[in-house]
Amino acid sequence: VVEGLALLDLGVSPYSGAIFHETPLIIYLFHFLIEYAELVFMITDVLTAVALYLAIQDFNKVVFKKQKLLIELDKYAPDVAELIRTPMEMHYIPLKVALFYLLNPYTVMSCVAKSTCAINNTVIAFFILATIKGSAFLSAVFLALATYQSLYPLTLFAPALLYLLQRQFIPIKLKSKSFWLYTMQYAALYLCSLVVIICLSFFLLNSWDFIPSVYGFILSVPDLTPNIGLFWYFFAEMFEHFSLFFVCVFQINVFFYTIPLAIKLKEHPMFFMFVQIAIISIFKSYPTVGDIALYMAFLPVWSHLYRFLRNIFILSCVLIVCSLLFPVLWHLWIYAGSANSNFYYAITLTFNIGQILLISDYFYAFLRREYYLTHGLHLTRPDGTEAMLVLK
Amino acid sequence: MGLLSDPHCRRALSRLVLRLNTPLCVLSYVAGLGWFLALAFQPLAPRTYMSENAMGSTMVEEQFVFGERALSYAREFAGHKKKAGGMPVAWLEKTMWNLGLEVHKQPFSRTLPFPDETRERYMVKGTNVYGILRAPRAASTEALVLSVPCSEGPHNNQAVGLMLALASYFRGQIYWAKDIIFLVNEHDLLGMEAWLEAYHDVNITEVRSSGTLGRAGAIQAAIALELSSDVVTSFDVAVEGLNGQLPNLDLLNLFHAFCQKNGLLCTIQGKLQRSDWDSLPAYAHSLQTLLLMVLAQASGRPRGDHGLFLRYRIEAITLRGINSFRQYKYDMTTVGKTLEGMFRKLNNLLERLHQSYFFYLLPSLSRFVSIGVYMPAFGFLILVLILKISFWAEREGSVGRGEGGQGPSPPLPLPESRPGLLALVPPLLICHAAGLALYFLPVLGQRVATQHFPVSESEAVVLTVIAIYVAGMALPHNTHRVLAGGGGGSDRGWMTLKLLALLALALQLGCLALLNFSLGFLLAATMVPAAAAAAPTGPKPVLAALLVLATPAVTLLLAIFLQRELLEAPASAGEGWQLFLAALAEGLLQHHLYGSFLCPFLALGAYPCWLLFWNVLFWK
């Protein structure tokens, strides 16, 4: 950002150097705020926490109302009393979410490093707040801002749409006219705001330079500086003529899970949103620990799933060990010269595998709870012996 | 996800872990120690070999004949050093200039955090003098360094003499592709650190020195030479650097190859190789060598001036000429020929030494143990901790909730499900506060200490360290009784605390073993049994004695005694205690002067972890 600002002050396009890949709105924001940079990042973190707090507060109310409705409609099996959530246990969850975000070492590291990921997180948090409050317009605007900054929040369109449809009590049937009408409305709002923001950026800098620099950069991954993501090592090792194919494969991986998850989780759009944010932060081309901090902030919302989580202890150990080994192996590779990139990438792989297993563990626990709610806690096989639920 | 989610497999595994835990732990620990001892068995370790192609054979024709000139330079240097009472800067500059080198001098100064009793210095001022031999037809992009320390008294005069003779010989050759820097540093490691920092234009420690100096490009390799006699009987090589970093094995192989070519006897850790390798005395001998290297590497002290080069990715070793009572002596010409050969081979390097191993252990000079072979020993020790961690995690899962048909699912401790967990926060805070006090207070508080007690500053620092260490053991361990009201919650409390402490210990030892294997292995071998066994139930005096034996300070004391045993100069109890106090002071000084991480790691990492186990032991 500093380089971009310097270039801007000189009157040259900030994208003519190879380092600056942020959007024009960011550069203009920092043009005025560069002296107060630390304060800006602290304020963004606080804003994110506040937005998450308010969002989860509203969400809890919605969840509780839905649960009450389902109990009254007798959709639950008779012996699931211990699985029903009470307002008492849900009372402190918003506070925990905010604290999880603020006190997460990853957030602190992100703030100290003054990574622009914090601004990404703020925009996504406001988007979630707007979605839960039910305002389609604000939600579309914030989603457009988030997509404008880094391309991947595009996939959050589906969970937001599902949530808003659910809120308006519009059933999700492909033949229903109101479904298509609402979808078209939301999509139109989103696309229009995106177009407005892009045009605004064009007028700010008087050139379309920023499109290849920002989006082309995210999609084509030219810079292979090691990070905690999966891309850099592969593309450093690969031959030139395969790189286009593999770039496509890797990028499709991020967007690929949206449709199947939408089909499976259409009744639970917020969980879908959580899983989608996690998938973005694992598979995006340049992840940072700030992205991880965002989805980890949501974990207290699903704290009622703890009894169904199978591997949470091992996985949290794996994540902590990998986070500690990252700087050690980086030091050994870059400063001591005794290790090489393989060691560092091994830890990156393990870290990402740990995250993936964490998400799939939560997913499995969620589905299990839903199954138990409708079929009862003590499952029996047809011949009467005790059965156990296994994910195949 | 088979192993992790298949419930039958999981249940079988957890049953195995719960029932056979102690036998598995004991077996694993014994396997770890046994594996380590087996490393010293010579036939199992491969022979060293030269990996770097560019340094291939020892085929050079050495023509160095200026042995006598070296001795005369040495005598002149000794005379001038006595006259100047320190480093004869003007004489060195003039001599190097006459030899045709590009001479520079670098004054530096440093105030130590507290007076150094062993070397009797506090406010140090010195000058480094170095001359650069520019390669006649190259672009000055790479350099080699031959460094010689300027020590007090009659030491290392012949080293300076040999260096000057080599410089005059090298000046007449046309085949040099890299510049050669001939460095004479004052105040050994302090001067070396000042020179390296100024050369690389960084400021890691607070040495104050003059600014830009004459440079010669990126340094590819460095050799530090120490010679104090006119004739030598053998050459001793020292490899351990700061924080246990080791140079590339190829540099050692180069030295060994040239010693063999010129017939020089070479030793490592002061011990000569034995030719019979399948007898018990030979095994004991190589075990001694291995243990000496492990102890030296674990202390994190550079064993020669070369130790500070390694941090800047410059491969370096220290060569010491030893004059013992052997009959066959080698003169300066032979030594000069060996060094000439080494430098000519280093001259051939196309890139930095990277082909051979960076992590190794040496049971003798011609055999090495690579990281792939010695890591499993450490792995077995960590396996003990992992078994214990899974044991306690499973126990907690089953104690906490009685699950129906779903198998134990250990939950993450969060406040809303574990009201007793808040009782763990005070012990954690107290232990880490003790660690912080141990790190910060001794040096910061030495002024206060000298005002109130009749001790010198360095004694004050060391005694403060010991006082805080022992005081940590006496801190209140019963905060949980005040908070949770004792009784039912306390059982869960110490189990969770032990789980956390085991996790912290495993994490710290794991990260440490990657950076400095010897230190990690040593701490693991001593702390793991005590940590695994610590529990409030059981014979308290025995467990307390075991835990005290495992504490890092006692490990240091025992290591000092062991090292003196291995050097065949056993120390008495009083002498050992004095050495221990000196080692404490030295450790603190090394941290402040050169950035060694042993002291902060022990104070902020190992000691709080050990205090947690102490807390667990005295929970009731």
Side-chain angles (χ1 to χ4, degrees):
Chain A
V1 175
V2 174
E3 150 134 0
L5 278 177
L7 285 174
L8 188 68
D9 285 337
L10 286 174
V12 182
S13 157
Y15 300 105
S16 50
I19 301 188
F20 184 65
H21 296 286
E22 287 288 342
T23 54
L25 279 183
I26 294 285
I27 201 175
Y28 270 93
L29 180 72
F30 278 102
H31 196 57
F32 301 113
L33 295 176
I34 191 70
E35 290 99 44
Y36 315 108
E38 286 100 6
L39 210 58
V40 167
F41 284 105
M42 286 198 281
I43 291 179
T44 49
D45 275 340
V46 168
L47 279 177
T48 315
V50 166
L52 288 176
Y53 178 87
L54 295 171
I56 300 300
Q57 222 177 21
D58 266 352
F59 177 60
N60 275 347
K61 293 194 191 118
V62 168
V63 160
F64 193 63
K65 255 195 277 193
K66 189 168 158 195
Q67 184 174 262
K68 214 159 80 155
L69 181 70
L70 286 176
I71 293 178
E72 279 168 16
L73 288 180
D74 232 358
K75 284 273 175 96
Y76 288 161
D79 54 350
V80 293
E82 53 195 60
L83 290 182
I84 304 288
R85 309 177 65 187
T86 59
M88 265 237 298
E89 78 179 52
M90 300 190 346
H91 184 63
Y92 281 114
I93 290 181
L95 187 64
K96 277 190 220 160
V97 166
L99 282 179
F100 248 57
Y101 184 73
L102 285 176
L103 297 178
N104 197 345
Y106 293 140
T107 320
V108 176
M109 276 200 280
S110 224
C111 188
V112 169
K114 295 190 250 215
S115 156
T116 46
C117 177
I119 301 182
N120 274 9
N121 285 358
T122 312
V123 176
I124 295 182
F126 275 110
F127 154 68
I128 295 178
L129 178 63
T131 313
I132 293 187
K133 292 274 189 194
S135 153
F137 173 65
L138 277 179
S139 153
V141 166
F142 279 118
L143 186 62
L145 267 177
T147 316
Y148 163 73
Q149 257 211 292
S150 69
L151 200 51
Y152 299 104
L154 174 63
T155 51
L156 294 177
F157 179 83
L161 179 64
L162 287 172
Y163 186 83
L164 289 169
L165 282 173
Q166 221 183 39
R167 211 185 143 88
Q168 306 277 350
F169 300 111
I170 302 174
I172 303 166
K173 286 199 201 352
L174 281 180
K175 299 202 178 58
S176 146
K177 213 165 69 146
S178 52
F179 165 69
W180 284 113
L181 193 64
Y182 197 82
T183 314
M184 287 295 126
Q185 275 180 336
Y186 189 62
L189 279 171
Y190 171 61
L191 286 172
C192 283
S193 12
L194 193 59
V195 164
V196 164
I197 297 174
I198 293 186
C199 288
L200 182 66
S201 320
F202 171 67
F203 287 121
L204 277 177
L205 281 178
N206 280 323
S207 73
W208 293 107
D209 265 356
F210 72 97
I211 293 195
S213 252
V214 179
Y215 305 117
F217 181 77
I218 295 178
L219 284 177
S220 67
V221 194
D223 180 12
L224 296 175
T225 317
N227 49 47
I228 60 171
L230 298 163
F231 282 58
W232 58 276
Y233 187 80
F234 274 99
F235 290 99
E237 302 280 324
M238 165 185 310
F239 290 116
E240 285 289 322
H241 44 274
F242 290 125
S243 64
L244 182 61
F245 168 65
F246 277 101
V247 157
C248 295
V249 168
F250 273 71
Q251 297 289 2
I252 286 175
N253 206 8
V254 186
F255 299 98
F256 179 71
Y257 298 98
T258 314
I259 307 288
L261 280 176
I263 297 174
K264 183 75 188 168
L265 290 174
K266 60 177 184 273
E267 304 293 323
H268 313 284
M270 278 321 285
F271 190 71
F272 179 20
M273 179 97 73
F274 163 68
V275 174
Q276 193 61 55
I277 294 180
I279 289 178
I280 292 177
S281 68
I282 299 172
F283 292 112
K284 72 193 279 196
S285 43
Y286 293 101
T288 63
V289 289
D291 301 316
I292 300 173
L294 183 64
Y295 81 77
M296 277 199 177
F298 283 100
L299 292 182
V301 184
W302 322 112
S303 53
H304 58 281
L305 297 175
Y306 276 151
R307 58 183 291 174
F308 300 109
L309 289 171
R310 308 206 60 110
N311 306 312
I312 189 70
F313 182 65
I314 300 177
L315 287 175
S316 44
C317 284
V318 164
L319 288 179
I320 295 177
V321 168
C322 287
S323 315
L324 280 179
L325 282 179
F326 266 125
V328 169
L329 284 169
W330 178 263
H331 169 87
L332 274 181
W333 175 25
I334 302 286
Y335 295 110
S338 323
N340 56 34
S341 56
N342 297 322
F343 294 74
Y344 187 76
Y345 193 63
I347 300 299
T348 310
L349 272 180
T350 319
F351 188 67
N352 284 315
I353 290 177
Q355 285 185 70
I356 294 172
L357 285 176
L358 181 76
I359 300 303
S360 44
D361 212 13
Y362 264 96
F363 187 63
Y364 176 46
F366 192 83
L367 292 179
R368 244 173 97 176
R369 181 173 173 269
E370 294 302 314
Y371 188 81
Y372 281 138
L373 278 178
T374 43
H375 292 91
L377 260 185
H378 300 289
L379 310 167
T380 51
R381 284 195 213 144
D383 54 358
T385 53
E386 202 178 322
M388 205 177 337
L389 206 57
V390 173
L391 185 72
K392 281 264 182 243
Chain B
M1 280 242 289
L3 191 64
L4 286 180
S5 66
D6 182 12
H8 303 287
C9 206
R10 235 187 116 86
R11 242 192 282 177
L13 204 64
S14 56
R15 234 190 321 231
L16 185 77
V17 162
L18 276 173
R19 274 218 308 238
L20 292 180
N21 201 277
T22 319
L24 275 177
C25 283
V26 171
L27 196 66
S28 186
Y29 185 71
V30 168
L33 285 184
W35 190 293
F36 181 74
L37 291 174
L39 292 175
F41 190 51
Q42 293 245 17
L44 287 182
R47 283 195 167 278
T48 54
Y49 55 92
M50 199 75 93
S51 302
E52 172 73 42
N53 264 330
M55 288 206 310
S57 62
T58 53
M59 258 185 66
V60 290
E61 228 182 273
E62 298 103 345
Q63 286 164 350
F64 181 75
V65 291
F66 299 142
E68 287 305 313
R69 203 185 285 189
L71 290 177
S72 73
Y73 275 132
R75 279 190 280 277
E76 271 189 57
F77 178 71
H80 280 93
K81 190 164 77 169
K82 206 184 290 198
K83 209 160 57 172
M87 176 112 131
V89 178
W91 179 81
L92 265 175
E93 278 188 312
K94 192 165 69 70
T95 319
M96 281 191 184
W97 184 258
N98 288 337
L99 288 175
L101 305 177
E102 195 184 298
V103 189
H104 300 272
K105 72 172 184 226
Q106 180 211 10
F108 64 92
S109 71
R110 176 81 161 104
T111 311
L112 272 61
F114 55 91
D116 185 357
E117 302 266 294
T118 42
R119 291 188 201 90
E120 282 153 28
R121 57 190 185 187
Y122 180 46
M123 291 171 51
V124 176
K125 261 199 180 49
T127 319
N128 293 330
V129 177
Y130 63 105
I132 307 179
L133 170 68
R134 297 282 178 195
R137 288 183 288 189
S140 282
T141 45
E142 291 170 351
L144 300 169
V145 173
L146 174 62
S147 101
V148 167
C150 168
S151 331
E152 319 252 301
H155 300 294
N156 286 327
N157 298 328
Q158 282 80 1
V160 175
L162 183 62
M163 182 193 84
L164 291 170
L166 276 173
S168 80
Y169 173 70
F170 285 172
R171 186 75 178 80
Q173 311 304 320
I174 56 166
Y175 44 67
W176 296 111
K178 306 191 204 296
D179 292 349
I180 305 185
I181 303 179
F182 296 95
L183 168 68
V184 182
N185 58 313
E186 201 176 353
H187 298 298
D188 48 271
L189 288 173
L190 272 176
M192 187 59 89
E193 181 66 29
W195 187 81
L196 279 169
E197 281 191 12
Y199 194 87
H200 290 96
D201 205 14
V202 291
N203 204 351
I204 307 179
T205 65
E206 287 152 8
V207 163
R208 283 186 300 276
S209 71
S210 63
T212 49
L213 310 171
R215 287 187 87 247
I219 305 179
Q220 304 289 85
I223 294 182
L225 185 63
E226 289 178 25
L227 266 182
S228 302
S229 52
D230 282 353
V231 289
V232 289
T233 53
S234 59
F235 249 93
D236 192 44
V237 65
V239 289
E240 296 87 0
L242 187 67
N243 291 330
Q245 206 176 347
L246 297 171
N248 200 312
L249 192 57
D250 264 342
L251 201 52
L252 200 69
N253 299 338
L254 183 71
F255 166 71
H256 188 50
F258 271 98
C259 279
Q260 282 182 324
K261 180 183 182 197
N262 286 314
L264 264 181
L265 264 184
C266 45
T267 62
I268 186 163
Q269 316 288 348
K271 292 199 184 298
L272 198 57
Q273 255 173 272
R274 290 173 69 122
S275 48
D276 55 338
W277 41 259
D278 49 358
S279 60
L280 196 56
Y283 172 73
H285 185 88
S286 62
L287 184 62
Q288 268 182 334
T289 319
L290 185 70
L291 280 177
L292 276 171
M293 177 167 179
V294 164
L295 287 174
Q297 197 185 7
S299 71
R301 276 162 59 155
R303 276 190 82 210
D305 285 354
H306 73 287
L308 297 172
F309 279 95
L310 297 171
R311 198 173 21 192
Y312 300 90
R313 291 185 69 168
I314 302 169
E315 312 305 330
I317 49 174
T318 297
L319 304 178
R320 287 197 183 98
I322 313 264
N323 193 9
S324 64
F325 293 107
R326 275 177 190 277
Q327 225 178 352
Y328 197 75
K329 311 242 185 227
Y330 305 92
D331 63 347
M332 283 289 124
T333 314
T334 322
V335 177
K337 278 203 178 126
T338 314
L339 283 170
E340 178 200 350
M342 283 180 76
F343 267 90
R344 283 181 68 170
K345 276 295 164 188
L346 286 172
N347 186 34
N348 287 344
L349 278 179
L350 297 167
E351 45 184 350
R352 282 188 199 271
L353 285 165
H354 68 281
Q355 297 278 15
S356 188
Y357 296 91
F358 286 102
F359 296 108
Y360 48 88
L361 288 177
L362 296 169
S364 81
L365 202 52
S366 61
R367 306 246 177 205
F368 74 101
V369 179
S370 72
I371 184 170
V373 179
Y374 69 58
M375 252 327 173
F378 182 77
F380 278 118
L381 294 182
I382 290 290
L383 186 63
V384 175
L385 283 181
I386 294 181
L387 282 171
K388 277 293 173 196
I389 289 173
S390 29
F391 175 72
W392 288 114
E394 296 289 324
R395 271 279 291 272
E396 244 186 276
S398 55
V399 161
R401 302 165 187 284
E403 285 290 284
Q406 284 148 22
S409 57
L412 198 76
L414 262 209
E416 112 260 354
S417 57
R418 319 281 214 108
L421 218 68
L422 227 47
L424 288 187
V425 173
L428 280 171
L429 281 179
I430 292 178
C431 293
H432 284 95
L436 281 171
L438 188 63
Y439 179 63
F440 283 113
L441 278 186
V443 177
L444 286 179
Q446 53 174 314
R447 190 160 297 280
V448 176
T450 46
Q451 272 173 0
H452 292 278
F453 300 101
V455 289
S456 68
E457 275 102 354
S458 67
E459 278 175 21
V461 170
V462 170
L463 291 175
T464 317
V465 166
I466 299 180
I468 298 180
Y469 202 95
V470 174
M473 291 175 23
L475 282 173
H477 304 296
N478 303 323
T479 47
H480 66 97
R481 272 193 219 156
V482 173
L483 276 176
S490 62
D491 237 15
R492 171 78 75 57
W494 71 259
M495 285 194 216
T496 320
L497 187 63
K498 178 157 179 184
L499 186 66
L500 285 176
L502 283 171
L503 268 174
L505 185 66
L507 280 173
Q508 279 169 19
L509 289 179
C511 291
L512 188 62
L514 281 173
L515 292 170
N516 185 346
F517 166 77
S518 305
L519 184 62
F521 187 79
L522 204 61
L523 283 179
T526 50
M527 285 181 83
V528 160
T537 57
K540 219 171 250 188
V542 174
L543 288 176
L546 188 63
L547 204 54
V548 166
L549 269 182
T551 186
V554 173
T555 310
L556 178 62
L557 187 63
L558 292 176
I560 291 178
F561 280 113
L562 179 65
Q563 194 199 22
R564 289 296 293 261
E565 274 295 325
L566 291 172
L567 284 174
E568 281 150 27
S572 61
E575 213 182 317
W577 177 253
Q578 292 298 326
L579 283 174
F580 173 68
L581 294 177
L584 282 180
E586 184 72 29
L588 275 167
L589 273 178
Q590 295 253 329
H591 169 62
H592 283 103
L593 290 178
Y594 315 122
S596 150
F597 68 65
L598 179 69
C599 165
F601 174 75
L602 286 182
L604 300 173
Y607 176 65
C609 206
W610 182 84
L611 265 188
L612 281 175
F613 285 111
W614 188 255
N615 258 314
V616 167
L617 189 61
F618 288 102
W619 190 260
K620 296 215 171 87

